[in-house]
Amino acid sequence: MNKINLQNISRPLVMGILNVTPDSFSDGGRFANFDMALQQTELMLQQGADIIDIGGESTRPGAPEVPVEQELDRVIPVIEAIKSRFGCAVSLDTSKAQVMQAGITAGVDLINDVCGLEGEGVLKVIADSDVPVCIMHMQGSPRTMQKNPQYSNLVNDIMAYFSERIDHCDTLGIDKSRIIIDPGFGFGKTLKHNYQLLAELEKFKQLECPVLVGLSRKSMIGNLLELDIDKRLAGSIAAATLALNNGADIVRVHDVEETKHAVRIFNAMKYGVENE
Ligand code: 7PM
């Protein structure tokens, strides 16, 4: 009922972001945060989210690294509660093998790794499971990535990275049919790079994997429009709509209700109002 079938994503999917980092909620203590996470999940599901992406590690440039025990404490109880209460598709945004393993045991449907499965022990955990994975491209590390990112050919370099990861996964028994690719907007890219990627997103379809994009409220919107984070909704919807038109299969967003509207407009145009 809730399994994500990567083989036939016939309509774009909306992935709703659920942050369970302490800084994402006003400090009401652990239980308040847990409760708010479930409330936020229920709301996003009502608004039409297809997947809930749970993250307990801030990937913000320069953010402190979260110790594994703390990340486990934050995300695993929330995953268990969401799976039992809502039974929806759940994605786990992590780069750590131990957290992935615990998430898989707790029943996550997708691993979303901004480090492209490069972390220690990660490939083995994935190879020993059958969960789909999202491999995101990042140049550098969260701490350094925005210091003068450079490419010889932006799209070709990122395509080559995916090809290498897909081949490497294959040698370890991780079939390509389990892989989603994500160009990683804002992760080691200038403003210009980000808009070039959006323009040329269609090229990633050559790799024959579903394409996921995260554009929601990002600096590429805020810096272009000179708007703070709470003013980026319209820009985010515009960017998501353009990504859909350029072939994105999954959009990772904060604002599910508004993004669903964009997806429905896109579907009506693409498939006809009868089959929207
Ligand atoms: C601060 C800076 C906080 C950046 C959060 C972020 C993506 C992702 C993130 C993405 C995939 C955000 C990012 N971005 N996973 N996780 N793709 N697959 O803006 O673009 O949400 S964290």
Side-chain angles (χ1 to χ4, degrees):
M1 153 257 209
N2 56 45
K3 269 275 167 212
I4 316 160
N5 187 350
L6 300 186
Q7 265 39 262
N8 61 351
I9 301 183
S10 58
R11 294 285 188 278
L13 302 177
V14 174
M15 172 184 271
I17 300 170
L18 183 68
N19 278 316
V20 289
T21 49
D23 46 281
S24 38
F25 298 112
S26 60
D27 189 22
R30 257 182 88 188
F31 294 106
N33 288 348
F34 180 87
D35 245 40
M36 283 178 75
L38 292 189
Q39 264 181 49
Q40 178 64 12
T41 299
E42 184 170 33
L43 179 65
M44 292 196 290
L45 292 172
Q46 282 166 359
Q47 293 174 335
D50 300 290
I51 309 164
I52 303 297
D53 186 46
I54 304 175
E57 178 191 41
S58 181
T59 27
R60 180 161 28 87
E65 287 215 1
V66 180
V68 62
E69 289 304 333
Q70 202 178 331
E71 196 181 333
L72 285 167
D73 280 355
R74 286 180 193 170
V75 298
I76 301 303
V78 175
I79 291 167
E80 287 170 345
I82 290 174
K83 285 308 281 185
S84 84
R85 203 172 296 191
F86 306 111
C88 59
V90 169
S91 154
L92 173 55
D93 189 339
T94 188
S95 300
K96 296 193 187 82
Q98 215 183 317
V99 179
M100 289 180 189
Q101 184 55 68
I104 290 165
T105 304
V108 299
D109 302 273
L110 173 69
I111 297 290
N112 174 25
D113 185 1
V114 299
C115 294
L117 309 180
E118 291 181 41
E120 204 184 315
V122 161
L123 284 164
K124 173 150 175 55
V125 168
I126 300 303
D128 289 345
S129 78
D130 60 2
V131 287
V133 290
C134 175
I135 293 179
M136 198 196 77
H137 173 272
M138 165 164 34
Q139 186 180 86
S141 67
R143 223 167 42 78
T144 62
M145 63 190 181
Q146 289 311 102
K147 291 183 185 153
N148 194 27
Q150 284 180 323
Y151 296 85
S152 54
N153 180 303
L154 176 71
V155 173
N156 289 354
D157 290 4
I158 297 174
M159 293 266 278
Y161 173 78
F162 289 138
S163 293
E164 184 276 322
R165 295 313 285 162
I166 291 166
D167 286 349
H168 189 57
C169 280
D170 185 68
T171 65
L172 298 171
I174 304 165
D175 199 82
K176 190 180 167 186
S177 63
R178 286 167 62 186
I179 298 174
I180 297 169
I181 56 175
D182 179 341
F185 287 96
F187 287 87
K189 283 108 189 163
T190 64
L191 189 64
K192 218 172 154 182
H193 289 145
N194 286 317
Y195 281 94
Q196 190 190 338
L197 278 178
L198 185 57
E200 298 186 43
L201 197 65
E202 199 100 61
K203 293 189 178 160
F204 293 100
K205 307 292 276 186
Q206 283 172 30
L207 292 168
E208 299 180 297
C209 291
V211 173
L212 187 153
V213 295
L215 296 153
S216 187
R217 300 182 187 173
K218 282 195 173 168
S219 297
M220 65 179 280
I221 294 161
N223 290 352
L224 185 87
L225 303 176
E226 300 182 73
L227 289 172
D228 288 341
I229 206 130
D230 60 328
K231 292 284 187 192
R232 297 178 189 173
L233 174 60
S236 297
I237 300 304
T241 308
L242 293 167
L244 292 170
N245 202 41
N246 289 351
D249 297 286
I250 307 175
V251 286
R252 179 181 177 277
V253 302
H254 301 88
D255 304 287
V256 171
E257 183 172 35
E258 294 86 350
T259 306
K260 270 303 257 203
H261 293 168
V263 168
R264 293 183 59 192
I265 301 285
F266 171 76
N267 286 343
M269 176 192 76
K270 188 96 178 165
Y271 307 104
V273 287
E274 315 82 5
N275 310 303
E276 184 253 318

